[in-house]
Amino acid sequence: MADHGVATEPPLLTMEGIVKTFPGARALDGVDLEIATGEVHCLLGQNGAGKSTLIKVLAGAHRPDAGQITWRGEPVTLPTTMAALELGVATMYQELDVVDGLSVAENIFLGHELSAGGFLRRHRAHARTRELLDHLGHPEIRPGREVGTLSAAGKQIVSMARALSRDARLIVMDEPSAVLDPEEVDNLFRVVRTLAAGGIAVVYISHRLEEIRQIGDRLTVLKDGRTVARGLAVADTPTPELIRLMTGRNLEAVLRPGESADVTVTEREPVLEVEGLARDGEFSDVSLTVHAGEVVGLAGLVGSGRSEILETICGARRPSSGTVRVRGQAVRPGSVASAVAAGIGLAPEERKSQGLLLDEPVYRNITLSTFARYARGGFLDEPAERRAAGQQAAALDLQPPDVGRAVRTLSGGNQQKAMLARWLDRGCDVLLLDEPTRGVDVGARAEIYALIRELTRRGTAVLLVSSEIEEVLGLADTVLVVADGRVAHSGPALEIDEHRVLDLVMEGSHA
């Protein structure tokens, strides 16, 4: 049947055959992407698939070597970030680019300050800021408040308001939920839906497939710098198919449903024993035992005290009371050296700022906890360092395998592997893992799960913190729910479900 001349609205954005080559590597090899007005379009792919390079092309930070970009049906070029902003494309990177020392209003209009001067300009900026924050559903954020005093979620709202202040019609969000707790993620989704309902398109990038299910309309999948699926309806695409598209293989869940060993973990030797541990203002009366080959999981909201407990156990924070023992021997309070000597290793939540020397080579990061082992007569045996690190890198399938390259050049998943390799090289009895799969793709996540399994088979005691309740319940033998600095529940993972954990953490946060 003829359409009688009814015009079809062109896509808001089309990218076709985008190619981008860097010295020694082709990051994008003919990528296609199409975004409709007012949709939430999810961009998926493992680390290294080309997502970051593609959004930098879209943001005007990289110029493509080949391909075409059209905006509302008209060919365009994006030679600079300012050109992209003027077109209507705003990008929110995972590392938010707000300036902590400036006010909310100053951040929103940074680089495109309103005309007029002095008091009048400030008054207009504050009035417009209030309008934008009201539109985003956050009137409680004051225009004059210093951004550095806001939570991560608040800073995200400021970044979104900045995009709207430039009349953005397309907002790219790169891993926006990475530092948010479940309640903040729900609020983020509400804001995204408000934007889409107002005709603003959102490109949403996340490793969390459950988020894609909740927020996405359509999706595009990248693999090895190419588009392997374009414009699929989220509701019609099963999760196993998404995993197959991203990884090129069918991926079985590595989370175990229950106990598989011949003996229960509580019949094994206790390795880590924490009794009455407290730190004023952060947590109190924490007691737990981790046996050989056991995974104990700490579940709770961001700010509940989970990470602080791990950091106190490993000596990075000094407790106000309580004891930590490894194989019956007391660990000196507030001493990282004593904890490491006792056999405790920590892979921290912020691996880039707290765990890795980003500009040092991979091998140096791996051997950091065993440095004295490679000293010979006052000289460092670098070849021995490289050999030892290479063995651990090969065992963990670190990619690329070159241990001489700077660790900052690795993907998030491979940086996490380098952190774990450090403690494998030392042969830790106790491994503390804080958000071990944050910011890593589904393939690397499965490899980390498998590594945790291998460590427990060797008899390592693992204490795990994760914001993903499913991950805690699937990996742990024993679960402790931490709410408002206290242990609200302790028991076998098989005897508690996700809904009960949520009830406990929310009860604690509102107590």
Side-chain angles (χ1 to χ4, degrees):
M1 181 180 291
D3 63 9
H4 302 293
V6 176
T8 301
E9 182 182 359
L12 176 66
L13 171 83
T14 302
M15 305 178 80
E16 294 182 314
I18 302 297
V19 174
K20 181 62 182 178
T21 302
F22 298 103
R26 176 165 284 203
L28 301 176
D29 192 13
V31 168
D32 300 325
L33 179 67
E34 181 183 286
I35 310 295
T37 299
E39 77 165 330
V40 180
H41 196 108
C42 299
L43 185 60
L44 305 183
Q46 297 191 79
N47 289 324
K51 303 187 302 296
S52 295
T53 305
L54 183 65
I55 65 173
K56 286 179 180 177
V57 169
L58 181 54
H62 288 330
R63 299 193 69 171
D65 301 320
Q68 185 176 54
I69 302 174
T70 61
W71 181 261
R72 292 175 170 161
E74 298 293 328
V76 295
T77 58
L78 302 173
T80 64
T81 54
M82 187 56 66
L85 286 168
E86 289 174 352
L87 186 67
V89 179
T91 302
M92 293 172 51
Y93 294 103
Q94 188 172 352
E95 305 290 339
L96 292 174
D97 57 350
V98 294
V99 182
D100 284 350
L102 298 182
S103 72
V104 170
E106 288 168 335
N107 266 277
I108 288 173
F109 292 100
L110 188 63
H112 66 122
E113 288 78 5
L114 297 174
S115 57
F119 175 79
L120 180 59
R121 182 172 68 183
R122 181 174 178 273
H123 178 75
R124 290 183 61 206
H126 278 224
R128 179 60 178 147
T129 295
R130 280 191 289 270
E131 290 177 9
L132 294 169
L133 295 173
D134 284 348
H135 177 67
L136 293 173
H138 282 271
E140 78 283 357
I141 299 177
R142 301 187 311 277
R145 182 172 175 177
E146 186 177 324
V147 163
T149 66
L150 294 175
S151 66
K155 291 178 180 180
Q156 279 190 337
I157 295 299
V158 173
S159 191
M160 289 183 205
R162 178 194 292 170
L164 294 181
S165 76
R166 290 184 173 272
D167 297 321
R169 306 311 303 165
L170 171 62
I171 300 179
V172 180
M173 299 183 181
D174 187 7
E175 297 285 355
S177 66
V179 295
L180 305 183
D181 65 33
E183 191 172 339
E184 291 172 329
V185 172
D186 289 342
N187 184 64
L188 169 67
F189 287 172
R190 184 189 59 76
V191 171
V192 169
R193 293 186 186 105
T194 298
L195 294 172
I200 295 172
V202 175
V203 173
Y204 192 94
I205 301 173
S206 177
H207 290 304
R208 299 176 177 176
L209 298 184
E210 68 276 10
E211 290 186 6
I212 303 304
R213 292 269 171 238
Q214 293 180 61
I215 197 64
D217 298 313
R218 294 192 302 153
L219 60 90
T220 291
V221 182
L222 303 187
K223 183 178 185 298
D224 299 329
R226 298 183 177 91
T227 301
V228 295
R230 171 178 170 177
L232 298 180
V234 171
D236 297 338
T237 311
T239 297
E241 175 65 7
L242 289 179
I243 293 172
R244 187 192 65 78
L245 288 167
M246 285 190 287
T247 65
R249 63 186 186 274
N250 294 320
L251 192 63
E252 296 292 331
V254 191
L255 301 177
R256 67 182 167 204
E259 196 68 57
S260 59
D262 295 331
V263 296
T264 62
V265 291
T266 54
E267 293 175 313
R268 303 175 197 158
E269 176 193 4
V271 178
L272 173 67
E273 296 172 283
V274 176
E275 187 173 347
L277 198 66
R279 184 171 159 84
D280 292 342
E282 294 178 350
F283 61 88
S284 61
D285 196 25
V286 172
S287 297
L288 59 91
T289 300
V290 191
H291 300 80
E294 181 183 17
V295 179
V296 171
L298 298 183
L301 298 177
V302 174
S304 64
R306 311 165 312 172
S307 297
E308 290 79 4
I309 292 169
L310 260 61
E311 291 173 3
T312 304
I313 290 172
C314 79
R317 296 172 185 250
R318 188 176 183 85
S320 49
S321 61
T323 58
V324 176
R325 290 184 174 86
V326 176
R327 300 193 186 280
Q329 299 298 310
V331 177
R332 190 162 69 251
S335 170
V336 173
S338 177
V340 171
I344 298 176
L346 169 69
E349 177 182 6
E350 298 296 335
R351 56 179 173 265
K352 288 185 178 181
S353 61
Q354 297 176 344
L356 295 170
L357 304 176
L358 292 176
D359 293 317
E360 291 292 322
V362 172
Y363 72 83
R364 183 60 46 79
N365 276 274
I366 291 176
T367 61
L368 198 59
S369 67
T370 52
F371 210 54
R373 192 183 294 171
Y374 306 101
R376 302 285 188 273
F379 294 94
L380 191 62
D381 189 349
E382 189 173 306
E385 257 192 296
R386 284 178 173 267
R387 285 194 299 272
Q391 290 171 359
Q392 298 297 346
L396 299 184
D397 191 27
L398 193 77
Q399 295 296 328
D402 177 15
V403 295
R405 67 187 293 155
V407 78
R408 73 162 60 249
T409 65
L410 301 182
S411 67
N414 282 290
Q415 286 181 351
Q416 188 67 288
K417 287 182 185 180
M419 276 291 309
L420 296 176
R422 175 186 304 167
W423 301 113
L424 288 176
D425 186 48
R426 187 170 181 90
C428 287
D429 292 320
V430 179
L431 188 56
L432 312 179
L433 301 177
D434 196 352
E435 301 285 5
T437 62
R438 170 168 288 172
V440 308
D441 60 65
V442 67
R445 179 178 293 228
E447 291 173 348
I448 290 170
Y449 291 162
L451 174 60
I452 293 171
R453 293 278 172 259
E454 176 58 30
L455 287 168
T456 57
R457 279 193 289 270
R458 297 181 190 179
T460 304
V462 177
L463 183 58
L464 165 82
V465 162
S466 175
S467 296
E468 298 186 35
I469 298 173
E470 181 185 11
E471 185 168 84
V472 173
L473 296 180
L475 283 170
D477 303 286
T478 302
V479 172
L480 276 66
V481 181
V482 181
D484 197 26
R486 294 180 176 273
V487 177
H489 168 88
S490 177
L494 294 175
E495 295 179 5
I496 191 169
D497 60 21
E498 187 170 347
H499 296 294
R500 180 57 181 150
V501 173
L502 278 172
D503 287 344
L504 287 165
V505 297
M506 296 312 294
E507 286 170 12
S509 67
H510 292 109

